[in-house]
Amino acid sequence: MNSRYLFGEAWAIAKSGPRHTAIAVALIALAFYVPGLFALVARNLGRLAGSARQPVAAILTIDPAADARAVADRVAQDPRVARVTIVPSAAALERFRRAYPDLGGALSDLGEAPFPPTIEVMLRPTAPVRASQELVAAARTWPGVDSAESEEEFAKKFADGVRLLRGAGLFLGGLLAFAAVLSVASAVRLALDLHRDEIDIMRRMGATEAAIRAPFWLHASFEGLAGGAFALLLLYATYRGALYALSRETHPVLSLFWVGFLDLPTALLLPAVGAVAGFAGSLLSLGKTRSTA
Amino acid sequence: MIQVFRLCKDYGPFRHALSDVSFNVARGEFVFLTGPSGAGKSTLLKLLFREELPSSGQILVNGRNIAVLPDSQVPYFRRTLGVVFQDFKLIARKTIFENLSFVQSVLGLSHAEQKRRAYQALKRVGLHHRMNSHPGELSGGEQQRAAIALAIVNEPVLLLADEPTGNLDPVLSEEIMKLFAEINIRGTTVFVATHDIELIRRMGKRVLTIEKGQLRDRDLAREVMLAREAPFLPG
């Protein structure tokens, strides 16, 4: 068996049923686009959650006229507090620009500082569970504190949400990948029926089962690879389309997190898993064919 | 070349395709297998190239007991045989030359070797001038010659043919048989299953007769010949 035969026959198989090949590629593309979209959303949400350098337990918003240092010293006296950081208006704006370079420019046109000064409170790891809420409740009564919010619960819910999204993506991805494997299997079975006579001739001439099946394996793997690649292209088009739409009309929530595409290894995983799914589909289909007669 | 001993083939408990068949074919021999339709000729051929397994008995082909040959060895065994069928078994979407080189590419031969062997085989059957034609563009006789070229392209030690002239007229049948005789003269053992008694008679080769799944101790071709030569006596 040589490569000329292998690739030539795989191409001949694809050409013999172009409609079924196209349908199988489209189904695989769809099967990988949906979980890919989940992965993209989850990644961006995860990026938002992970952008803070250290977990912040509480944020106190300070009256611009008040002495932020005095409030910070008062918070730091609490034995449960590990560290206190004063974030002035300018620093908050700079931080936002660094995290979201595409959106930061939009805030430059504003005459006044868009973010009030805040104090971020980090608790010690030994602090009890409700320490953040107790600290916030006390801080709300202090002079110079406009508002105080505990971040503990939100951070937990946010992380849970991202995890749920990833899980849903994986589940749906698994389900659709299984459907993709079945669609490839049926496309390969059809190709087998179309080439039944040739397979009989090859068997009678002494072709090994591996030589007979290899073009089908290759064909199905390419189908999967093409489907995965199409899913990736579609996903990138969706990402760029959303970016374009958000650049025309900024959305208060979407604009904040829709900032990055999948990293390269995750992106390359789509065609790679597609090829594996295609190969699995061909194994499923070819496994049932008789081997010696 | 072929040694068959007490061969039986059953399809279920009530259908006995072959019963207690024994015979030998020497290396380089040309043998016809004849008998009426349904006698078991095709079953015997299928057993000889290991498309089916016997229910009992032994089959030795070229020194190998194919009844106990492992599945993984069957392709390598078949590479030593050539098989010709009534319905030609050519790949319609490929030219005659591609048909021949295709089966060799499956076997892993180099491109140059494929071309050399394919051309040689087509030349032997006198079809080298039609090598770029598709099977559908050839006459029945030419298609059968192409099928024979396909069968001999690997230079087999044994050529099996199942009703190779079944779709051909008497002139073309004679032509195909002459081709088999030429292949046989070059040293290939030829085993042809046919019910064309006239053809067998003209060839003058050894004949095995099978009826109802059993080998008969009679020469059908000779009987037909004698019957034709008997004087017509009006009643």
Side-chain angles (χ1 to χ4, degrees), chain A residues 1-2 4-5 9 12 195 197-198 200-209 211-212 290-293, chain B residues 49 51 71 75-76 78-79 85 89-91 93-94 102-103 105-109 111 114 150 153-154:
Chain A
M1 181 170 46
N2 55 36
R4 180 195 285 257
Y5 157 74
E9 284 310 296
H195 292 78
D197 288 346
E198 292 175 27
D200 279 349
I201 293 168
M202 284 155 72
R203 282 202 175 111
R204 283 168 182 168
M205 292 300 292
T208 58
E209 284 305 304
I212 292 168
R290 60 189 188 149
S291 60
T292 53
Chain B
F49 72 92
E51 187 168 319
D71 283 353
Y76 304 100
R78 285 182 181 164
R79 288 176 196 183
F85 296 92
K89 299 278 184 199
L90 296 165
I91 300 168
R93 69 180 165 92
K94 292 182 186 288
F102 170 69
V103 292
S105 67
V106 181
L107 306 182
L109 293 178
H111 192 56
Q114 288 169 34
L150 188 65
V153 73
N154 288 334

Side-chain angles (χ1 to χ4, degrees), chain B residues 25 30 55-56 60 62 64 76 80 91 108 118-120 130 133 135 137 160 163 178 181 185 191 193 199 222 227:
Chain B
V25 174
F30 190 130
S55 304
S56 65
L60 270 77
N62 200 20
R64 304 173 85 167
Y76 304 100
T80 64
I91 300 168
Y119 186 78
Q120 286 293 327
R130 305 289 319 255
S133 304
E137 297 164 354
L160 302 172
E163 300 287 0
K178 279 181 182 163
I185 287 167
F191 192 83
L199 200 65
R222 187 172 163 74

Side-chain angles (χ1 to χ4, degrees), chain B residues 119-134:
Chain B
Y119 186 78
Q120 286 293 327
L122 285 171
K123 203 172 175 188
R124 278 176 74 182
V125 301
L127 260 190
H128 52 294
H129 63 293
R130 305 289 319 255
M131 59 191 236
N132 292 320
S133 304
H134 285 83

Side-chain angles (χ1 to χ4, degrees), chain B residues 185-203:
Chain B
I185 287 167
R186 288 176 176 236
T188 303
T189 308
V190 178
F191 192 83
V192 180
T194 180
H195 61 261
D196 190 340
I197 304 293
E198 274 297 326
L199 200 65
I200 295 172
R201 191 182 58 78
R202 283 198 296 274
M203 292 295 288

Side-chain angles (χ1 to χ4, degrees), chain A residues 95-264:
Chain A
R95 191 187 282 181
F96 183 83
R97 278 180 177 148
R98 271 205 308 273
Y100 308 108
D102 294 347
L103 302 171
L107 300 174
S108 306
D109 302 336
L110 294 172
E112 56 188 33
F115 301 109
T118 54
I119 292 173
E120 292 175 349
V121 182
M122 274 68 77
L123 296 178
R124 291 182 193 282
T126 52
V129 177
R130 294 191 59 80
S132 166
Q133 278 95 331
E134 287 167 14
L135 188 76
V136 161
R140 279 180 187 143
T141 61
W142 298 345
V145 175
D146 269 353
S147 64
E149 297 298 332
S150 169
E151 295 292 301
E152 212 170 41
E153 202 169 328
F154 172 75
K156 187 177 174 301
K157 280 183 179 168
F158 193 80
D160 286 348
V162 171
R163 266 199 298 275
L164 188 72
L165 202 65
R166 280 194 183 126
L170 277 175
F171 174 73
L172 209 60
L175 211 64
L176 289 169
F178 182 65
V181 167
L182 290 184
S183 77
V184 172
S186 78
V188 169
R189 180 144 296 276
L190 187 90
L192 267 175
D193 285 342
L194 288 171
H195 292 78
R196 184 67 62 197
D197 288 346
E198 292 175 27
I199 290 170
D200 279 349
I201 293 168
M202 284 155 72
R203 282 202 175 111
R204 283 168 182 168
M205 292 300 292
T208 58
E209 284 305 304
I212 292 168
R213 291 169 191 221
F216 289 92
W217 290 333
L218 189 68
H219 162 70
S221 300
F222 267 116
E223 254 179 14
L225 186 77
F230 271 121
L232 187 61
L233 277 176
L234 210 58
L235 209 56
Y236 190 70
T238 306
Y239 164 71
R240 294 301 301 183
L243 264 192
Y244 177 72
L246 289 171
S247 72
R248 288 169 64 92
E249 193 176 345
T250 306
H251 187 277
V253 177
L254 287 178
S255 305
L256 280 175
F257 83 91
W258 195 257
V259 287
F261 191 60
L262 298 172
D263 55 278
L264 192 65

